[in-house]
Amino acid sequence: MTIALWCILVAALLPLVFTAIAKVGHEAGIHRLNRKPRVFQAELTGYRARAHWAHLNSIEAFPPFAAAVLVAQFVHASQNTVDLLAVLFIVLRLVYGAFYLADKAPLRSLSWLLGLLCVVGLFVAAALA
């Protein structure tokens, strides 16, 4: 498997990281968290709410990223380029999450945009293959 394909797995698991940040150590306890998760999520505040929002955005970002990697692999785009853009996407998604947790909206938006450009770059690499 290529590095880029492993990055698909990492991107698929990334929402779980943010969910864990939202839940771990919460005073409600695991039974309440899992009994009515939508109610629990709606009541989150502060960094826990932002972690949940990062979770949701990570789910939204996954399909285009996975598709871009798979298309680039399918058409045999430059493997170095595909791997680089895939790893950069993962790094930027982690940075995005960190900025979200820290409530740094402008930097969060910039890292989101750069991640999106990685996805576009994967499709461009596929088109040029």
Side-chain angles (χ1 to χ4, degrees):
M1 271 198 13
T2 66
I3 292 170
L5 291 175
W6 283 109
C7 286
I8 293 174
L9 175 61
V10 172
L13 296 175
L14 201 51
L16 300 176
V17 172
F18 297 117
T19 291
I21 292 169
K23 289 183 177 183
V24 170
H26 193 277
E27 65 275 359
I30 195 68
H31 297 295
R32 178 165 179 256
L33 302 181
N34 287 332
R35 184 167 289 125
K36 295 181 180 178
R38 302 293 185 248
V39 173
F40 164 74
Q41 293 159 350
E43 295 172 353
L44 289 171
T45 59
Y47 82 90
R48 290 182 189 281
R50 292 190 300 275
H52 175 63
W53 299 331
H55 158 86
L56 294 175
N57 188 267
S58 295
I59 292 170
E60 294 166 1
F62 176 74
F65 170 69
V69 169
L70 293 174
V71 167
Q73 295 278 174
F74 180 76
V75 301
H76 303 289
S78 164
Q79 193 61 55
N80 288 337
T81 301
V82 174
D83 287 344
L84 175 67
L85 289 170
V87 169
L88 187 56
F89 175 84
I90 296 298
V91 169
L92 286 164
R93 291 305 301 176
L94 289 168
V95 168
Y96 169 88
F99 285 144
Y100 219 146
L101 291 172
D103 203 15
K104 304 290 184 190
L107 294 172
R108 181 192 82 222
S109 295
L110 177 61
S111 59
W112 178 90
L113 176 62
L114 294 174
L116 177 63
L117 290 176
C118 288
V119 172
V120 171
L122 285 162
F123 279 112
V124 169
L128 297 176

